[in-house]
Amino acid sequence: MTAAAGEGSDSVTMPESALLGLTVAVLSSFINGSTFVFQRKGILRAKAKGTTYLTDCVWWTGTIAMAVGQIGNFVAYNAAPAVLVTPLGALGIPFGIRGLPLHRTSAANSAHVLDCTSVWTSEHHGLHQHLFLAGQLHCA
């Protein structure tokens, strides 16, 4: 009887933990999505100044935000089941796309939207991050 009561109390706290994990996962996806925009902007600013990107505060803002977002992912995976948290990682791409108007003087044209959509559907996260930061993918 006490085992059944203990199991019941665990099932009550699980949804609260899962809700916390899902909330943290969405927030960390937003942070991670915006980091690429900040890092790209920092790289372009440094290139225009003729300095290295390591001296640009916008690039450092993106890098520190990436670390914070990854810590958020760690917390989310510990608070909620991975099957719920993992798909939310893909939200970083549309969150990054939403940040484009902050750093672009013109609206994104259809080629930019197509590039970003292909990245969003891609399963190769490391490859699209590399292409984006290298300037071969025109999402920012």
Side-chain angles (χ1 to χ4, degrees), residues 6-130:
E7 289 174 8
S9 65
D10 287 342
S11 65
V12 171
T13 59
M14 180 57 187
E16 293 171 2
S17 175
L19 182 60
L20 172 67
L22 294 176
T23 303
V24 171
V26 170
L27 288 173
S28 63
S29 290
F30 173 73
I31 293 169
N32 285 331
S34 65
T35 61
F36 300 118
V37 176
F38 284 112
Q39 287 180 326
R40 174 84 172 148
K41 181 68 172 179
I43 290 169
L44 294 175
R45 282 175 29 138
K47 186 176 179 180
K49 292 179 191 175
T51 62
T52 178
Y53 63 89
L54 294 173
T55 61
D56 191 82
C57 64
V58 175
W59 183 85
W60 278 107
T61 300
T63 302
I64 292 168
M66 184 179 289
V68 170
Q70 292 304 319
I71 291 168
N73 280 339
F74 178 77
V75 170
Y77 276 107
N78 283 305
V83 71
L84 298 176
V85 175
T86 301
L88 296 175
L91 290 175
I93 302 300
F95 285 149
I97 293 170
R98 295 291 295 161
L100 288 178
L102 299 174
H103 299 293
R104 292 185 58 87
T105 56
S106 62
N109 62 26
S110 59
H112 292 119
V113 173
L114 180 62
D115 281 348
C116 295
T117 304
S118 68
V119 167
W120 188 20
T121 58
S122 171
E123 295 179 2
H124 306 290
H125 176 72
L127 176 63
H128 86 260
Q129 177 182 355
H130 173 72

